[in-house]
């Protein structure tokens, strides 16, 4: 239990950090594009590499690093039409099944993205914009990080419920039945 709790704490720290990096990327993107537009309109100058940096760094960080936060907060899109009609035990089984599938699928995606990122790294992948060479391979590593963290959070929740962790009690997923008088 202590190991599972420590693992959960590490996942929380990583999720918070990745979300902050994603938010900072959005702010940097806004500033970068604003400066580029102002320089272009006022002085007919352009910041070299703006498009490449926005597309390969800022957008990748803003899109894929915070993906684990939705899982951490349990705010991913869900279809509850059938789930709400299930008995309590079936709800838990359904949630556990979904968590296991998500952990495997997100983990498999992270692995595939990692292979792609490593290939881009070894090739020294770059984009050329206004005769400026911008390495774009680092942006490819944001996908395996975001999806890997998503997979680990889902696996952690699966194991927490499976082991009866007090941090994630089963009762959280079973609505209280109204008392009859």
């Amino acid at each position: 239990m202590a190991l599972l709790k420590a693992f959960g704490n590490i996942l929380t720290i990583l999720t918070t950090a990745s979300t902050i990096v994603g938010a900072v990327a959005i702010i940097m993107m806004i500033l970068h594009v604003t400066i580029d537009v102002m320089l272009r309109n006022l002085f007919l100058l352009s910041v070299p590499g703006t498009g490449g940096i926005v597309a390969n760094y800022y957008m990748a960080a803003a899109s894929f690093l915070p993906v684990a936060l939705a899982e951490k907060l349990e705010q991913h899109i869900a279809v509850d039409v059938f789930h709400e009609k299930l008995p309590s035990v079936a709800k838990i089984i359904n949630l556990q099944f979904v968590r296991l599938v998500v952990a495997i699928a997100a983990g498999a995606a992270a692995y595939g993205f990692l292979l792609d990122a490593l290939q881009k790294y070894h090739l020294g992948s770059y984009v050329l914009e206004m005769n400026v060479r911008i390495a774009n391979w680092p942006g490819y590593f944001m996908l395996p990080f975001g999806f890997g963290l998503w997979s680990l959070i889902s696996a952690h929740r699966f194991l927490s419920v499976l082991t009866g962790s007090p941090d994630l009690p089963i009762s959280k997923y079973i609505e209280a039945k109204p008392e009859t008088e």
Side-chain angles (χ1 to χ4, degrees):
M1 290 289 195
L3 185 60
L4 200 57
K5 184 173 177 61
F7 183 55
N9 290 340
I10 291 168
L11 291 175
T12 297
I13 291 167
L14 289 173
T15 302
T16 302
S18 67
T19 302
I20 289 170
V21 171
V24 168
I26 291 171
I27 293 166
M28 289 176 59
M29 178 174 55
I30 291 168
L31 293 173
H32 192 149
V33 170
T34 301
I35 290 168
D36 184 52
V37 168
M38 287 175 59
L39 286 174
R40 196 173 326 134
N41 288 320
L42 296 174
F43 304 108
L44 300 176
L45 298 171
S46 186
V47 178
T50 297
I53 293 169
V54 166
N56 294 290
Y57 289 93
Y58 301 142
M59 293 299 286
S63 300
F64 298 111
L65 292 180
V67 75
L69 180 64
E71 181 67 23
K72 189 75 174 158
L73 299 176
E74 295 188 281
Q75 295 296 313
H76 277 288
I77 296 172
V79 180
D80 293 335
V81 174
F82 299 109
H83 181 78
E84 294 304 317
K85 297 183 187 316
L86 294 173
S88 297
V89 173
K91 284 182 182 180
I92 295 166
I93 292 169
N94 181 41
L95 282 169
Q96 286 296 85
F97 176 73
V98 169
R99 284 191 180 117
L100 185 60
V101 168
V102 167
I104 292 168
Y111 179 72
F113 292 140
L114 179 62
L115 293 178
D116 189 38
L118 289 170
Q119 181 183 31
K120 300 293 184 190
Y121 167 73
H122 289 298
L123 291 173
S125 180
Y126 66 92
V127 292
L128 194 61
E129 186 178 315
M130 294 175 59
N131 293 326
V132 176
R133 196 173 156 167
I134 302 163
N136 68 346
W137 62 262
Y140 284 91
F141 283 93
M142 294 181 205
L143 281 94
F145 184 84
F147 277 78
L149 190 54
W150 181 13
S151 174
L152 291 173
I153 290 169
S154 191
H156 177 261
R157 287 188 187 274
F158 176 83
L159 292 172
S160 293
V161 171
L162 201 64
T163 60
S165 172
D167 296 331
L168 198 61
I170 290 176
S171 60
K172 176 181 179 185
Y173 301 101
I174 304 170
E175 71 276 358
K177 296 188 180 187
E179 293 181 22
T180 53
E181 295 181 32

